[in-house]
Amino acid sequence: MFCHYLLASFAKCLQPLDTSVVENHFAFHTFTLKLALQMTLPDLYFPGQNWKGTDFYPDGSPSRGLLDNCMKATNWEALCLYASTLNNSIECRILPNITNGQFHLVRLLEFENQSRWIARIQLRKSTERLAKKLQREVDAMAIVRERTNIPVPQVFGYEINDSNSVGAAFILMEFLPGNVAMDADGGYKTHNGEIPPQHKSNFYNKMAQVQVSTLILSSNNAMHLSDKHYRR
């Protein structure tokens, strides 16, 4: 299954890196599938994004309860206000599009100038472990963006715990249109998690480029952030 292939590839590339910054490759799971696919398939394979919506899960199910609780606990007005302060005070609104993974809820923010950001909200209440994990993920994304040509989303702002006006841990990042690999080209029901034959050659070529880029990060056997800082 090519989603497993991607995770295994990044795990292998990141093994030499300093674990004080990236404890394990799982911090990369939120964007590796997406960026690899974006580098592989042209825009014609993205007629629309895969937005599930809160009604994707049955009423009474654990997943539905987790999403509903997150939606209610998050102060969306405060999130928009915070995003505006990071974007030259341009007013923004929350679009109705919603999707989620195992750990995060994702929504789109649209500004008056038609630019869009992603709001990635942590589904569960923050703990010390989750806060450290989120910080590692932000640091890893910054390093990959700074030192390679892999198209990692730019992070505009974030909070690693619930102690803020939004009431949740979150990341505000650049919106890169596209779907994760598992949802592309007809979705799992069409390809059963296998790389479609017509895309294998291009897919492996692009994945090789990603792996070569990540080798740059291990040249000194450590990862260190530059003096650049995000607003929090």
Side-chain angles (χ1 to χ4, degrees), residues 190-211:
T190 299
H191 51 62
N192 295 317
E194 297 291 337
I195 305 172
Q198 67 270 29
H199 298 311
K200 280 189 175 181
S201 177
N202 195 29
F203 184 90
Y204 288 136
N205 178 55
K206 293 300 182 181
M207 275 308 305
Q209 293 178 32
V210 170
Q211 292 191 26

Side-chain angles (χ1 to χ4, degrees), residues 33-171:
L33 296 180
K34 183 174 180 179
L35 68 88
L37 187 67
Q38 287 172 324
M39 295 177 69
T40 304
L41 304 178
D43 290 340
L44 63 90
Y45 293 103
F46 298 111
Q49 283 77 54
N50 179 37
W51 299 100
K52 293 179 181 176
T54 55
D55 58 354
F56 178 82
Y57 302 100
D59 285 330
S61 66
S63 296
R64 178 65 176 270
L66 197 60
L67 281 176
D68 288 343
N69 290 339
C70 181
M71 289 289 291
K72 293 175 183 177
T74 302
N75 187 331
W76 299 104
E77 183 177 348
L79 183 67
C80 249
L81 181 61
Y82 174 69
S84 294
T85 63
L86 299 179
N87 195 18
N88 300 314
S89 297
I90 303 174
E91 291 189 13
C92 83
R93 65 190 181 103
I94 303 287
L95 296 183
N97 311 69
I98 297 172
T99 193
N100 70 283
Q102 186 176 358
F103 300 104
H104 300 92
L105 179 149
V106 176
R107 298 193 71 177
L108 273 175
L109 277 63
E110 184 175 73
F111 295 90
E112 283 188 332
N113 62 2
Q114 304 304 307
S115 62
R116 292 180 175 182
W117 290 3
I118 283 290
R120 186 167 166 269
I121 314 296
Q122 188 170 281
L123 283 170
R124 293 169 177 81
K125 283 292 184 180
S126 183
T127 64
E128 183 178 356
R129 181 185 66 82
L130 289 176
K132 289 180 178 179
K133 179 178 178 295
L134 191 149
Q135 184 65 64
R136 288 197 302 269
E137 186 171 351
V138 170
D139 292 343
M141 292 174 71
I143 286 290
V144 174
R145 182 178 172 84
E146 179 182 311
R147 301 189 182 181
T148 77
N149 61 357
I150 299 173
V152 177
Q154 179 181 354
V155 173
F156 300 114
Y158 67 99
E159 290 287 348
I160 63 173
N161 55 51
D162 307 330
S163 301
N164 57 76
S165 60
V166 177
F170 65 89
I171 301 177

Side-chain angles (χ1 to χ4, degrees), residues 16-18 147 214-224:
L17 302 182
D18 185 357
R147 301 189 182 181
T214 59
L215 291 177
I216 299 172
L217 301 180
S218 60
S219 59
N220 295 320
N221 201 37
M223 292 175 71
H224 301 285

